[in-house]
Amino acid sequence: MGQLLRVQNFTVSSDGIGAGKDQSFESPFGLDPSPMFEWAGATASWNLRTEPGGSRGLDDYFIRDFSCNIGAEIMGRNKFGPQRGPWTDHEWQGWWGDEPPFRTPVFVLTHHERPSFTLADTTFHFVNDEPAAVLEQARAAAQGKDVRLGGGVSTIRQFLDADLVDTMHVVVSPVRYGAGLKLWESPDELRDRFHLEVVPSTSGVKHQLFWRK
């Protein structure tokens, strides 16, 4: 099937919201994301787990699959950090500290130039181009592996609108926020282009699996 552009483990509320509108340094998601991500934090393979234990099963499988055959990531600027406009603070190098979890080249969408930099085994590149051109760069950097489309909401919508996404795994949490950035009004909006299978988990979330028709 060649190199796929994949959305993985992207979590939204039951009303389709993936983030709030007022992101800040103090509130990276612009809302309290902890109820939405309880499913992931409860798994044995959650990368932020500090104590032994955690659940096995379906949720844990998806957490373990996160980096499987991924050679590069594309993310929006809002996922990288809270700054807007020209880059005035190059000391800010993302939310993830000295060892980001990606371990691949990462292409950050931005309208403002910034030099690439490397932390541990992750290199961040800052690109101002159309989705198809960015995907071409990411595929070259991925060296035959797939490319993960990491989000946020606006970035995923942008690549969906350009008809570039091959597969998606979206986790629907039972929490409701009422207002924020919506991935969709209903996943049925995508049925003209994607097959959809919904797999409920004992944790209360629903794993929605999309693949191109």
Side-chain angles (χ1 to χ4, degrees):
M1 295 180 64
Q3 290 176 281
L4 301 177
L5 181 61
R6 297 159 52 188
V7 175
Q8 292 180 279
N9 295 357
F10 193 80
T11 305
V12 300
S13 65
S14 60
D15 47 351
I17 292 169
K21 295 181 179 180
D22 298 318
Q23 184 190 35
S24 67
F25 180 80
E26 294 76 17
S27 180
F29 278 83
L31 46 75
D32 178 10
S34 53
M36 191 163 60
F37 288 105
E38 283 181 358
W39 75 274
T43 63
S45 302
W46 180 237
N47 67 323
L48 299 179
R49 175 170 293 283
T50 58
E51 299 178 357
S55 66
R56 295 292 183 180
L58 183 64
D59 294 346
D60 190 65
Y61 168 82
F62 282 113
I63 292 295
R64 286 187 284 112
D65 191 52
F66 183 68
S67 296
C68 182
N69 199 44
I70 295 295
E73 168 147 342
I74 298 170
M75 69 172 63
R77 179 168 175 174
N78 289 14
K79 179 175 178 178
F80 177 80
Q83 296 183 59
R84 302 294 179 267
W87 297 94
T88 58
D89 180 10
H90 284 197
E91 292 186 5
W92 172 264
Q93 296 184 318
W95 305 105
W96 307 280
D98 294 333
E99 295 188 13
F102 309 104
R103 299 184 174 87
T104 66
V106 175
F107 294 82
V108 181
L109 305 180
T110 175
H111 296 300
H112 302 277
E113 292 185 3
R114 176 172 175 169
S116 300
F117 66 85
T118 300
L119 291 172
D121 45 9
T122 297
T123 298
F124 291 94
H125 304 284
F126 300 86
V127 291
N128 179 14
D129 216 328
E130 295 299 315
V134 175
L135 179 56
E136 184 176 351
Q137 293 181 59
R139 280 179 168 153
Q143 299 182 345
K145 294 184 177 181
D146 294 339
V147 176
R148 180 170 52 233
L149 183 59
V153 172
S154 299
T155 297
I156 292 176
R157 289 299 326 181
Q158 187 177 0
F159 279 77
L160 281 172
D161 291 345
D163 199 24
L164 296 172
V165 178
D166 295 301
T167 68
M168 290 202 305
H169 166 228
V170 178
V171 186
V172 179
S173 165
V175 66
R176 291 181 63 87
Y177 288 112
L181 300 177
K182 284 195 170 188
L183 182 63
W184 53 45
E185 292 296 332
S186 166
D188 290 337
E189 299 168 11
L190 302 177
R191 285 185 181 271
D192 62 328
R193 287 180 287 159
F194 292 92
H195 301 284
L196 169 60
E197 184 169 348
V198 180
V199 185
S201 168
T202 55
S203 64
V205 303
K206 293 180 180 179
H207 297 278
Q208 300 201 344
L209 307 174
F210 299 82
W211 64 100
R212 185 187 289 275
K213 289 183 176 179

